[in-house]
Amino acid sequence: MSTILDIDHLNKTFDTPQGPVQALRSIKLQVKRGEFVTIIGPSGCGKSTLLKIIAGLDTAHNGQVLLENLQVDRPSIDKGFIFQEHRLFPWLTVEKNIAADLSIKQPEVRKKVDELVGIVRLQGFEKAYPRELSGGMSQRVAIARALLRNPKVLLLDEPFGALDAFTRSHMQEVLLDIWRQNQTTMILVTHDIDEAVYLANRVVIMDARPGTIRKIVPVDLPYPRKKSSTAFQEYRRLVLNEFERVEELELIDSSGI
């Protein structure tokens, strides 16, 4: 697979009343076309900041971020972004939310919307409004809306964080179905180690203060994966051990030892 995203020596500093705070330091990451990458780390390690920089939502940084060899310097339709909150238009139906600024009366848009409704498993809810949907259904609409633009990379910032455990598990399956069918490159930020291992080809583990990449763990398991399997638990323990080392370093840092 060819490289679609190339991040090199990325640094990000925020100016605060107490002085400059470095959020990201020397981030170096390459993502292959069609790959599923998850990013995990403690709160405040810069996971969401990194995602926003990749999306072109934050351009005040140093370093290189290339998408298909072009510098990322603004938001665009080739970078889909899914927030933790679905951000649907409450006055539009499911199908019109997916179409958004495109006219659903156009045959090609109508056809694509219908296809995506099937992919995200929302048949029968095309005419429903956001108030009539569950949290998981609303996130499926948001994902379909992003996919309608055929993004080169889909960025997901803890999209299932507010969902209950059952719905979250279901949404993981939906997302994997979408990934397999569309072969869209996906980068997902999560706090959930099981989710990170279950979904990803590679898990990126981050340190905090400032945010750096501690380790990248390739997950060499076939899909579909069983969370109860011995192989899955071995990968989970590997990621958990690294994550616990990050937290230990944070405690030492905060105690001044």
Side-chain angles (χ1 to χ4, degrees), residues 123-144:
Q123 298 96 325
F125 290 92
E126 294 89 342
K127 306 297 183 183
Y129 288 88
R131 65 179 179 273
E132 300 170 311
L133 305 177
S134 67
M137 293 168 75
S138 297
Q139 279 294 44
R140 281 183 263 166
V141 177
I143 292 170

Side-chain angles (χ1 to χ4, degrees), residues 47-216:
K47 302 185 299 295
S48 293
T49 298
L50 175 57
L51 216 60
K52 289 175 182 175
I53 290 173
I54 296 171
L57 297 170
D58 185 338
T59 57
H61 58 79
N62 296 316
Q64 178 176 276
V65 181
L66 300 179
L67 182 64
E68 288 193 330
N69 295 317
L70 295 176
Q71 183 71 36
V72 173
D73 56 9
R74 65 177 66 87
S76 61
I77 61 174
D78 58 4
K79 300 180 290 292
F81 199 103
I82 307 296
F83 297 89
Q84 184 169 340
E85 308 83 21
H86 54 73
R87 302 194 179 187
L88 302 183
F89 301 113
W91 58 88
L92 296 180
T93 61
V94 164
E95 60 185 9
K96 289 184 178 179
N97 258 292
I98 294 173
D101 58 331
L102 302 176
S103 174
I104 203 166
K105 294 180 180 179
Q106 296 178 11
E108 64 273 19
V109 175
R110 172 83 267 175
K111 180 182 178 183
K112 187 64 175 176
V113 167
D114 289 343
E115 289 176 358
L116 287 168
V117 165
I119 289 173
V120 300
R121 308 180 190 177
L122 284 173
Q123 298 96 325
F125 290 92
E126 294 89 342
K127 306 297 183 183
Y129 288 88
R131 65 179 179 273
E132 300 170 311
L133 305 177
S134 67
M137 293 168 75
S138 297
Q139 279 294 44
R140 281 183 263 166
V141 177
I143 292 170
R145 181 171 59 192
L147 291 174
L148 183 66
R149 276 76 188 163
N150 294 314
K152 295 173 182 175
V153 59
L154 184 62
L155 308 165
L156 304 104
D157 191 5
E158 298 193 64
F160 312 142
L163 304 179
D164 62 82
F166 179 81
T167 306
R168 185 173 193 142
S169 179
H170 174 67
M171 285 302 300
Q172 291 167 4
E173 297 298 332
V174 171
L175 191 61
L176 282 175
D177 281 348
I178 294 169
W179 174 62
R180 283 192 289 256
Q181 289 186 53
N182 281 26
Q183 299 182 326
T184 303
T185 306
M186 294 192 182
I187 304 175
L188 181 143
V189 162
T190 181
H191 275 102
D192 189 316
I193 292 174
D194 282 5
E195 182 169 85
V197 175
Y198 187 71
L199 296 174
N201 300 131
R202 290 187 297 156
V203 179
V204 177
I205 305 167
M206 291 187 66
D207 277 329
R209 301 180 183 177
T212 56
I213 293 178
R214 177 182 181 83
K215 187 165 186 161
I216 299 177

Side-chain angles (χ1 to χ4, degrees), residues 22-23 25 41-46 206-212 246 249-250 253:
Q22 189 168 15
R25 182 179 66 192
S43 296
C45 71
M206 291 187 66
D207 277 329
R209 301 180 183 177
T212 56
V246 171
L249 289 172
E250 276 208 306
D253 181 60

Side-chain angles (χ1 to χ4, degrees), residues 209 247-257:
R209 301 180 183 177
E247 292 182 326
E248 287 172 6
L249 289 172
E250 276 208 306
L251 288 172
I252 292 172
D253 181 60
S254 62
S255 66
I257 298 173

Side-chain angles (χ1 to χ4, degrees), residues 17-38:
Q18 291 74 38
V21 174
Q22 189 168 15
L24 297 171
R25 182 179 66 192
S26 299
I27 299 294
K28 185 176 179 64
L29 177 67
Q30 289 186 330
V31 177
K32 300 294 185 183
R33 190 179 308 277
E35 190 176 18
F36 200 136
V37 172
T38 55

